[in-house]
Amino acid sequence: MSAISNDWLEPLKPEFSKPYYKELYTKVRQEYATNLVFPPSNEVFSAFELTPLHEVKVVILGQDPYHNVGQAHGLCFSVRPDVEIPPSLVNIYKELQDDLGCYIPNNGFLEKWARQGVLLLNTVLTVRAHQANSHRGIGWEEFTDAAIRVLNRQDRPIVYILWGTPAQRKAQMLDNPKHLILKAPHPSPLSAYRGFFGSKPFSRTNAFLEANGLSPIDWQIENV
């Protein structure tokens, strides 16, 4: 399992010596050794690596990684360019088109967002192949909660986009008056029509960033 090597390391370092993390590390290493697990072990911390702490302007929280072969690569909702766009991301793109007029691209690769300061963080960072939520409760939630608390302490404007009930539960950790919390139903086909469509998270995020003197996110994912 790859390590975190940028400015996330110092505030998260206390977690690595806690009993829960040592158990988590042992469990995850065992899982990779005995099962097919996603994302690839060198991409478990990709969200942190691609979006250094000092660059975070927006946080989008997912649940656990995609569990089919070739999909997960360490960023929530994102898939590699040659992978079929999953249904939730299809709906995210539909809302983005309605909200900002972006065209719907032919791929689901969201690294462009991550490199602009959008932390695409799953609350559980690994999953066994074809078994959704199979790594829930083994310790990842405690680790990603620690990361969310680190973000909450940042003395600058940050937007949290919380889609669905599990993500919205994290709002109780967020009490920084400089930050903006946007909530909506999850973009999955089961719930998108209950208020995700029309929630305009992308324009609201950019309006907040610009009002605070920050450059907006270029949300357009280009065709490949």
Side-chain angles (χ1 to χ4, degrees), residues 38-113:
F38 302 126
S41 61
N42 64 333
E43 295 180 326
V44 170
F45 293 120
S46 287
F48 297 100
E49 289 298 312
L50 288 168
T51 313
L53 177 58
H54 72 280
E55 293 181 6
V56 175
K57 296 195 284 190
V58 182
V59 181
I60 297 179
L61 287 182
Q63 296 176 35
D64 67 334
Y66 295 125
H67 54 80
N68 289 329
V69 175
Q71 290 182 306
H73 66 100
L75 304 180
C76 73
F77 294 107
S78 181
V79 291
R80 293 282 182 197
D82 57 345
V83 175
E84 183 179 359
I85 302 172
S88 290
L89 184 53
V90 168
N91 287 338
I92 290 169
Y93 282 162
K94 286 178 181 175
E95 176 61 18
L96 181 55
Q97 183 179 50
D98 183 63
D99 188 6
L100 290 177
C102 294
Y103 68 82
I104 295 178
N106 62 3
N107 69 96
F109 190 50
L110 305 182
E111 187 175 302
K112 176 182 175 179
W113 293 359

Side-chain angles (χ1 to χ4, degrees), residues 1-18:
M1 201 159 66
S2 61
I4 293 173
S5 58
N6 58 15
D7 61 353
W8 277 104
L9 180 59
E10 194 60 34
L12 288 176
K13 192 182 288 182
E15 300 304 308
F16 299 132
S17 59
K18 292 180 179 177

Side-chain angles (χ1 to χ4, degrees), residues 18-206:
K18 292 180 179 177
Y20 88 85
Y21 191 87
K22 293 176 180 177
E23 290 180 21
L24 168 65
Y25 184 78
T26 300
K27 171 72 171 173
V28 170
R29 284 197 62 175
Q30 179 185 7
E31 282 284 292
Y32 273 102
T34 57
N35 294 284
L36 183 58
V37 174
F38 302 126
S41 61
N42 64 333
E43 295 180 326
V44 170
F45 293 120
S46 287
F48 297 100
E49 289 298 312
L50 288 168
T51 313
L53 177 58
H54 72 280
E55 293 181 6
V56 175
K57 296 195 284 190
V58 182
V59 181
I60 297 179
L61 287 182
Q63 296 176 35
D64 67 334
Y66 295 125
H67 54 80
N68 289 329
V69 175
Q71 290 182 306
H73 66 100
L75 304 180
C76 73
F77 294 107
S78 181
V79 291
R80 293 282 182 197
D82 57 345
V83 175
E84 183 179 359
I85 302 172
S88 290
L89 184 53
V90 168
N91 287 338
I92 290 169
Y93 282 162
K94 286 178 181 175
E95 176 61 18
L96 181 55
Q97 183 179 50
D98 183 63
D99 188 6
L100 290 177
C102 294
Y103 68 82
I104 295 178
N106 62 3
N107 69 96
F109 190 50
L110 305 182
E111 187 175 302
K112 176 182 175 179
W113 293 359
R115 293 191 180 280
Q116 294 181 83
V118 181
L119 181 69
L120 296 166
L121 182 65
N122 280 313
T123 54
V124 174
L125 298 186
T126 55
V127 68
R128 195 182 289 184
H130 313 302
Q131 297 181 42
N133 295 312
S134 49
H135 287 179
R136 178 195 286 169
I138 66 171
W140 280 128
E141 294 92 341
E142 195 165 345
F143 180 75
T144 53
D145 279 1
I148 292 168
R149 284 192 289 270
V150 169
L151 289 162
N152 185 57
R153 294 195 295 268
Q154 300 304 300
D155 188 28
R156 64 178 195 276
I158 295 176
V159 182
Y160 301 86
I161 298 176
L162 306 181
W163 289 327
T165 303
Q168 289 171 20
R169 290 194 196 105
K170 307 300 182 184
Q172 62 192 16
M173 292 188 284
L174 304 172
D175 58 5
N176 189 323
K178 291 191 174 181
H179 298 178
L180 174 68
I181 299 173
L182 300 178
K183 298 179 183 179
H186 196 273
S188 84
L190 297 173
S191 54
Y193 287 95
R194 297 180 195 154
F196 171 77
F197 289 131
S199 60
K200 300 193 178 300
F202 308 103
S203 60
R204 292 167 72 190
T205 292
N206 280 354

